[in-house]
Amino acid sequence: PSGKTLIEEARANYTRLELDRKWIRQAGSGVQVILWRGDRINDTLLLMMLARGFKGMNEGLYISLEGTTVGSTEQVLREIADSEEIEPESLAGSVQNKIREKWDAILPKGLLEASFASSYLDVPGVSKALAEHFEGE
């Protein structure tokens, strides 16, 4: 019974907040970007935003960006959606701790970045998600 109540509350809040249509939300002095695509997409998009001077983090369900507005965030997201696909390895280069697997510590830098990018990033997935969200507007 309590599980049923919680799921009903979650569905009601999803509808009330219009999360099916409002995927970029102002949250205080920051913005939440809710793509509904998982950590690989969120992590990749966050790295793209950080490369453009934003500050933020992956909160799991969404990425939070500090000190920005919906308008300026949307503008940059459209630029990302319209830009040529960035090389995942260049995004991986900005990650401070790429050592995740047992033998990562002995890999040369280029190979470590390629390994990290192939395991943890999804640039085409971000492009597809943004295209679908902007197409739906």
Side-chain angles (χ1 to χ4, degrees), residues 8-9 12 32 43 47 54 65 75 84 86 89 96 98 101 111 117 131 136:
E8 288 170 359
E9 287 178 21
Q32 297 171 338
D43 287 340
L47 288 174
F54 285 78
L65 302 169
Q75 179 183 347
E84 289 187 25
I86 189 170
E89 291 83 4
Q96 291 188 1
K98 291 180 276 293
E101 303 297 330
L111 187 54

Side-chain angles (χ1 to χ4, degrees), residues 12-117:
N13 284 322
Y14 179 88
T15 301
R16 180 180 59 82
L17 296 170
E18 301 177 76
L19 294 177
D20 57 332
R21 292 187 308 274
K22 294 183 180 178
W23 58 281
I24 307 172
R25 301 175 27 88
Q26 193 71 45
S29 63
V31 168
Q32 297 171 338
V33 180
I34 310 167
L35 293 178
W36 302 108
R37 301 296 172 99
D39 282 335
R40 282 185 72 173
I41 301 293
N42 282 356
D43 287 340
T44 306
L45 179 58
L46 179 61
L47 288 174
M48 292 172 164
M49 298 300 283
L50 295 175
R52 287 168 172 77
F54 285 78
K55 294 179 181 170
M57 63 187 304
N58 180 355
E59 302 282 358
L61 182 60
Y62 57 88
I63 64 169
S64 62
L65 302 169
E66 301 171 10
T68 189
T69 64
V70 168
S72 60
T73 301
E74 182 178 349
Q75 179 183 347
V76 172
L77 291 173
R78 285 185 186 278
E79 289 170 9
I80 291 171
D82 294 338
S83 67
E84 289 187 25
E85 203 167 277
I86 189 170
E87 289 297 321
E89 291 83 4
S90 66
L91 289 174
S94 67
V95 175
Q96 291 188 1
N97 183 10
K98 291 180 276 293
I99 298 174
R100 306 279 173 95
E101 303 297 330
K102 182 176 183 178
W103 302 108
D104 284 352
I106 64 170
L107 295 176
K109 181 182 176 190
L111 187 54
L112 178 60
E113 289 173 357
S115 175
F116 183 90

